[in-house]
Amino acid sequence: MNTTNVQLSAPSSASDAVADAASNPVLRVPPASPAAAVAYFGASLAFHADVSDAASALAEGGDPGFVVIDTRSTASWDQGHVPGAIHLPTALIAEQAEGLLDKSVPVVTYCWGPGCNGATRAALALAQRGFQVKEMLGGFEYWAREGFAFETWEGREQRAPDALTAPVDGGACGC
């Protein structure tokens, strides 16, 4: 049996390891400890919902256990929104949230997409008023891009999934 020793460019000393990490933009700041990573990523999941997970829970029928809030303007709502969502623009949360929502039911907020922090501001405003809240990552943009049906002022629409955001065959992404 022939075996070959392979050296994977390991640093020859501790100072070489520090120099290699300093020149590597990914490792310039070292990864968190596993315990810190568990705390951070666990907390992230408590604050965020994935578009695909929200769509799946809503598609099962019955009570999904949460309500979806579109935090955008009326013109944006009319352009397209998640079926079954409640329209509650961020600016109106202070005066309307108590009358529209039940504090015992978790709320999932969304806005336009990853480049917009409207859903984050709405989630903060709702949490400050005692609501349990998560933000839907990707917002309406990724809802539409992943091929989920949406409603407009003209009726229901659906686009083919974008191959850069979702499996085009309609199957689960596996993550």
Side-chain angles (χ1 to χ4, degrees):
M1 180 162 152
N2 186 4
T3 60
T4 307
N5 285 336
V6 177
Q7 178 96 18
L8 296 175
S9 10
S12 59
S13 70
S15 62
D16 288 343
V18 170
D20 288 348
S23 65
N24 179 334
V26 172
L27 299 176
R28 194 168 294 139
V29 174
S33 70
V38 165
Y40 173 83
F41 293 117
S44 179
L45 292 171
F47 296 116
H48 301 109
D50 178 89
V51 166
S52 182
D53 290 343
S56 176
L58 293 169
E60 289 179 8
D63 181 4
F66 60 91
V67 63
V68 179
I69 303 294
D70 185 313
T71 67
R72 302 170 300 149
S73 69
T74 299
S76 299
W77 166 268
D78 289 345
Q79 198 172 321
H81 57 271
V82 172
I86 295 172
H87 186 221
L88 180 57
T90 303
L92 300 177
I93 288 174
E95 62 189 68
Q96 294 183 4
E98 300 281 339
L100 290 173
L101 305 171
D102 178 345
K103 288 187 178 179
S104 70
V105 178
V107 175
V108 177
T109 64
Y110 75 89
C111 60
W112 271 113
C116 176
N117 67 2
T120 305
R121 287 193 306 271
L124 174 60
L126 288 162
Q128 288 170 330
R129 285 159 181 79
F131 291 92
Q132 303 169 68
V133 63
K134 287 189 173 199
E135 178 183 8
M136 187 171 76
L137 297 176
F140 180 72
E141 175 188 350
Y142 276 73
W143 184 275
R145 287 182 73 185
E146 290 190 22
F148 301 116
F150 57 93
E151 297 173 346
T152 73
W153 68 275
E154 295 178 307
R156 200 168 179 93
E157 292 186 29
Q158 189 166 6
R159 298 178 180 167
D162 179 335
L164 295 176
T165 65
V168 294
D169 66 1
C173 70
C175 57

